[in-house]
Amino acid sequence: MEQWSNETIVDFRRTLLGWYDAEGRDLPWRHGRNPYHTWISEVMLQQTQVQTVIPYYENFIAAFPTVADLAQAPEATLLKAWQGLGYYSRARNLQRAAQQLVTDYHGQWPETAAELEDLIGVGPYTASAIASIAFDQVVPAVDGNAFRVFARLLMIDADIAKPKTRQIFTDIIQPIVDPQRPGAFNQAIMDLGSSYMTAKNPDPEHSPVRRFDASYRAGRVLDFPVKTKAPRPKLIPYYGLIVHSPAGYLLVQRGSQEMLSGYWSFPLVKQADLRDEKQSDEATEEMDLAVLEEKWARENQLTLTLQPLGGRQVSHTYTHQRWQVKLLVAELTTTPSLDFLPGQWVTADHVTALPLPKVQEKMMARYEQQVGHAVFKEN
């Protein structure tokens, strides 16, 4: 690993911040040093591109201008504002932390990374980002960009897939952070990692910190950072039930213990839940449908005649799971009650008013594609 002298560190800070002052991205959450704005943006940016986040951020801040507004927002309103960003537990944790700030901290923000980590859902990176940007604490914000930038600059070969590696990088970067402008330093590293030092197709030759880049000098840029491959997401086959009655389409709200909790979708049934272990290899779709119809008649008091929709299955990937959904349709001539099912009949014009996960949007799009016309109108 490359070692920098104090003179090199000072030179690096000056070079990096000079470039950042001239070329740093003009992002809406960088206008001022409001910890609430920094927090919301950093949570949204987890697993999501900057250009995707900008309109979500602006709409979110308009809907919930303060921590108190977020704390008291109805859950359905919050989830609707978050719809499309994915990783929906982030939205719930934001509200829980906002309630914590209002109740336990009387609206006053903790100002150190260690204290900020006591907030629900706030991890080491987000805490350090808020502490450095809003409160000038001299701490490194170690995210994917920081891992990549410093792994290449210093040729650090620690595996960033291992949890203990974060502390290794934190200890290495800590003395390099500019003590006068820690927030700008961390944001400059973010911008560097998103431009000249991207994961794929980097441009180290034109990087403003090229002369500090040990991996560039060694011709090994793409060897860093070192990261072992994560296991592939587990494939989980589902049936998605599009049930239509004179009163509308059947949508159910995901339970508190399920993924996508609080969001609404067509009923989703795991194919494995319709089969015992001995049947799993020899079960057919026809057998599944018979079991599913019997199960719904018995458990939900709904008599359905299900037919495959046809066309491609819907696929959606989460961090550890890949859902593959085969759509089934049932057309009812009367509207049964839903006394035994946590769902409701929703007219096509009102479906999109509910908070919907991305997989539901994909199921609706596939249904409209098969029927040949628009069904669900945006509100």
Side-chain angles (χ1 to χ4, degrees), residues 214-228:
S215 70
Y216 173 67
R217 292 195 301 272
R220 296 183 56 198
V221 169
L222 293 180
D223 290 343
F224 298 93
V226 174
K227 184 179 182 179
T228 53

Side-chain angles (χ1 to χ4, degrees), residues 76-317:
T77 304
L78 171 65
L79 294 178
K80 189 64 180 175
W82 198 267
Q83 181 178 316
L85 277 174
Y87 301 92
Y88 300 107
S89 62
R90 292 183 295 173
R92 284 197 178 78
N93 284 338
L94 277 174
Q95 185 168 57
R96 291 171 65 199
Q99 292 165 347
Q100 192 180 358
L101 280 165
V102 169
T103 302
D104 298 345
Y105 294 84
H106 309 291
Q108 297 298 309
W109 279 85
E111 297 188 5
T112 68
E115 292 171 320
L116 285 160
E117 283 194 59
D118 289 336
L119 296 176
I120 295 166
V122 175
Y125 165 73
T126 303
S128 295
I130 298 169
S132 63
I133 294 168
F135 302 114
D136 281 331
Q137 187 185 10
V138 185
V139 288
V142 182
D143 68 344
N145 284 310
F147 276 133
R148 187 166 58 256
V149 168
F150 284 100
R152 290 175 178 172
L153 290 176
L154 302 172
M155 292 179 63
I156 304 169
D157 60 6
D159 183 356
I160 67 170
K162 296 180 178 179
K164 66 180 182 180
T165 299
R166 174 178 295 278
Q167 190 59 51
I168 295 173
F169 273 76
T170 298
D171 293 343
I172 292 170
I173 302 169
Q174 179 67 59
I176 303 175
V177 177
D178 191 290
Q180 305 303 317
R181 301 178 63 194
F185 180 94
N186 284 328
Q187 290 178 107
I189 295 299
M190 297 173 198
D191 285 8
L192 193 60
S194 300
S195 55
Y196 295 98
M197 300 183 75
T198 53
K200 297 179 181 179
N201 302 314
D203 184 16
E205 185 174 353
H206 298 100
S207 167
V209 296
R210 177 183 64 181
R211 60 193 176 90
F212 301 94
D213 190 340
S215 70
Y216 173 67
R217 292 195 301 272
R220 296 183 56 198
V221 169
L222 293 180
D223 290 343
F224 298 93
V226 174
K227 184 179 182 179
T228 53
K229 289 187 177 181
R232 298 181 66 178
K234 180 182 178 181
L235 176 63
I236 303 180
Y238 280 88
Y239 287 117
L241 279 56
I242 303 177
V243 183
H244 183 245
S245 79
Y249 290 86
L250 175 60
L251 276 87
V252 295
Q253 189 172 32
R254 304 282 294 178
S256 61
Q257 302 304 310
E258 297 180 290
M259 284 181 61
L260 314 179
S261 170
Y263 280 83
W264 292 80
S265 74
F266 296 139
L268 289 163
V269 179
K270 288 182 181 178
Q271 294 183 15
D273 290 346
L274 303 175
R275 309 166 183 175
D276 61 37
E277 292 183 6
K278 294 180 180 178
Q279 287 179 312
S280 60
D281 292 332
E282 57 190 44
T284 65
E285 182 180 290
E286 184 178 357
M287 294 167 61
D288 282 348
L289 266 58
V291 172
L292 185 52
E293 290 171 353
E294 186 277 330
K295 182 181 178 72
W296 271 58
R298 173 169 39 86
E299 295 181 1
N300 302 323
Q301 301 297 299
L302 288 179
T303 301
L304 305 178
T305 301
L306 295 163
Q307 299 291 334
L309 176 67
R312 298 195 318 276
Q313 298 187 44
V314 170
S315 181
H316 191 72
T317 302

